[in-house]
Amino acid sequence: VCIHRVRSCSSIRFIKSKYVCVFDKSALKFSHQQRLFRTSAVSCGQIVQFKLSDIGEGITEVTVKEWYIKEGDSVSQFDSICEVQSDKASVTITSRYDGIIRKLHYNLDEIAYVGKPLVDIEIDASKGVAPEEDVVETPPMSHEEHTHQEIKGHKTLATPAVRRLAMENNIKLSEVVGTGKDNRILKEDILNYLAKQTGAILPPSPKAEIIPPLPKSETVPAAPKDRARKIPVPVSRPIVFSGKDKTEPITGFHKAMVKTMSAALKIPHFGYCDEIDLTQLVQLREELKALAQIRGVKLSFMPFFIKAASLGLLQYPILNASLDESCQNVTYKASHNIGVAMDTEQGLIVPNVKNVQVCSVFEIASELNRLQSLGSAGQLGTNDLTGGTFTLSNIGTIGGTYTKPVILPPEVAIGALGKIQVLPRFNGKGEVFKAQIMNVSWSADHRIIDGATMARFSNLWKSYLENPASMLLDLK
């Protein structure tokens, strides 16, 4: 005999074989109440505790940053419940059930723990739910299976048909960029993503025709930019002097920085600096900027720096490797996932461009645009922030020429780029000319990388940038 359903009415149904018997509830007043009524019943609904499931990357606790619902609100499956922030990324938690919110277990800025109840939801028992054990003791989902907790920035908005298509092709929706309204993932997005993975050629989608740039005779020459030194402007924040010390907990991305830099301190850093003449690259970028803009992409110098680094890593794979904790094995990474350090309101974050070795300069620029937009909005996902194999930090956007970058474990090398300056230099004939000079500072793990290797890599990277046409010979 088993309990089929618990209702607030005066009877409980027992089902055995083909016979249905109805007993008065009072007859069971003293029979194993703890086990039978472990899941409470309210009116015609059933209260379930929606627990914070495993969001991967070894994360055990998160900070509740925003609630999208309040007690008494009705929710449906995949509706956003709240936004939480770990030390790696912001995550939007979505509902697994249709029902009514009865209790929020945390206030804003409180720490929520994986496996603990997040909200209580009253669901309609008549529609059928998971078994009682699954309702009360819902096991955490694995990182691969989490379909109800999507990375913010990759929030899954898709129809059931699109979800089924993704599931049949073993595609994670969090890795697909939606082109529909509110970043909704369309069927075409899944097919295009699948084509990139398999190399299939799909018919072109009906998009606006790309108009080639006007001939030089018809274009208006751009006015030369003023290279005068810019006066730093202080941040316009009200200064409040209270006369008292203030203590704040370290949370979010700052907490991640503490962990990463503490691990980096164990690495013996080797430094190497040089200067690069970017005169030809500056001219090339000026010629390509307009075409990239027509295609909807902002073209900076960074895509060239990243692609040149990838070409160099093909020749010196030791710089795209990792060392195990016992320092006994070196793993050479097949993918060039090159990170770009970004300064945001949330702190320092380092998203990375995946598989640069098979990307064009234009594709790298397009991906950088996406990462920068999400980074500015604080919506970068875990997939964007993890898996890096090599890093470039463009400190020159803020100021400065030389720096000493710190390696991001488990990587073994990092480069820091200074600002581009117009400086006098001599050509082969001894004549002075105006050159666009940028300084670069490298740091490498001296346990597995010697100075000569770092210098040779830097020289190769430098040659690609000083003679950008030479990159065409090695582009994949």
Side-chain angles (χ1 to χ4, degrees), residues 410-454:
E411 299 173 20
V412 294
I414 184 174
L417 313 175
K419 62 183 179 182
I420 300 176
Q421 306 176 87
V422 179
L423 298 173
R425 290 296 183 266
F426 292 93
N427 60 19
K429 299 179 180 179
E431 300 169 341
V432 178
F433 71 99
K434 184 174 68 174
Q436 304 276 356
I437 301 298
M438 181 189 73
N439 301 111
V440 61
S441 304
W442 302 103
S443 290
D445 189 337
H446 214 352
R447 293 174 296 183
I448 59 173
I449 300 173
D450 55 73
T453 301
M454 189 74 253

Side-chain angles (χ1 to χ4, degrees), residues 254-268:
H254 293 285
K255 191 172 184 179
M257 187 186 299
V258 170
K259 294 179 181 179
T260 303
M261 294 300 103
S262 298
L265 187 62
K266 303 176 183 179
I267 300 175

Side-chain angles (χ1 to χ4, degrees), residues 183-436:
N183 296 325
R184 182 177 295 276
I185 297 177
L186 308 176
K187 180 181 178 181
E188 292 77 9
D189 299 327
I190 299 293
L191 296 177
N192 289 333
Y193 180 87
L194 187 62
K196 289 182 179 179
Q197 301 297 316
T198 60
I201 301 177
L202 298 178
S205 57
K207 295 184 179 180
E209 182 180 358
I210 297 176
I211 303 174
L214 297 174
K216 290 186 178 180
S217 59
E218 300 179 16
T219 58
V220 179
K225 292 185 179 180
D226 184 10
R227 288 284 184 172
R229 175 178 294 182
K230 296 180 180 179
I231 301 176
V233 179
V235 179
S236 57
R237 294 177 182 173
I239 300 176
V240 180
F241 181 75
S242 62
K244 297 181 180 180
D245 296 342
K246 183 174 66 172
T247 302
E248 294 180 345
I250 299 177
T251 59
F253 295 126
H254 293 285
K255 191 172 184 179
M257 187 186 299
V258 170
K259 294 179 181 179
T260 303
M261 294 300 103
S262 298
L265 187 62
K266 303 176 183 179
I267 300 175
H269 284 54
F270 167 79
Y272 180 82
C273 300
D274 201 357
E275 71 172 31
I276 320 294
D277 184 356
L278 298 180
T279 304
Q280 293 187 39
L281 182 60
V282 170
Q283 296 174 355
L284 176 63
R285 173 178 171 264
E286 284 297 324
E287 296 175 0
L288 298 177
K289 267 175 53 177
L291 180 59
Q293 190 68 36
I294 292 175
R295 296 185 182 184
V297 173
K298 180 180 178 181
L299 182 63
S300 65
F301 290 104
M302 186 57 74
F304 296 97
F305 299 152
I306 292 175
K307 189 60 184 180
S310 178
L311 295 175
L313 293 176
L314 293 174
Q315 302 296 323
Y316 300 95
I318 187 62
L319 297 174
N320 195 63
S322 64
L323 185 65
D324 64 4
E325 294 183 0
S326 61
C327 300
Q328 300 296 318
N329 300 287
V330 177
T331 301
Y332 294 87
K333 303 294 185 178
S335 298
H336 296 174
N337 300 337
I338 299 183
V340 181
M342 293 182 181
D343 178 42
T344 68
E345 293 183 358
Q346 291 80 29
L348 176 67
I349 56 176
V350 189
N352 58 84
V353 181
K354 298 289 195 295
N355 298 310
V356 176
Q357 76 279 3
V358 294
C359 292
S360 67
V361 172
F362 179 80
E363 290 172 334
I364 297 171
S366 178
E367 178 67 2
L368 275 179
N369 286 184
R370 185 186 71 86
L371 294 175
Q372 289 166 347
S373 297
L374 294 177
S376 300
Q379 296 180 346
L380 283 168
T382 304
N383 185 59
D384 296 322
L385 295 169
T386 56
T389 61
F390 186 88
T391 299
L392 290 176
S393 176
N394 190 6
I395 194 65
T397 57
I398 302 176
T401 52
Y402 290 99
T403 183
K404 185 180 179 181
V406 180
I407 300 170
L408 302 177
E411 299 173 20
V412 294
I414 184 174
L417 313 175
K419 62 183 179 182
I420 300 176
Q421 306 176 87
V422 179
L423 298 173
R425 290 296 183 266
F426 292 93
N427 60 19
K429 299 179 180 179
E431 300 169 341
V432 178
F433 71 99
K434 184 174 68 174
Q436 304 276 356

Side-chain angles (χ1 to χ4, degrees), residues 1-2 4 11-24 28:
V1 179
C2 62
H4 176 64
S11 64
I12 298 178
R13 297 179 180 179
F14 286 81
I15 300 177
K16 183 177 181 181
S17 299
K18 300 180 181 178
Y19 302 97
V20 178
C21 301
V22 179
F23 295 90
D24 186 76
L28 297 177

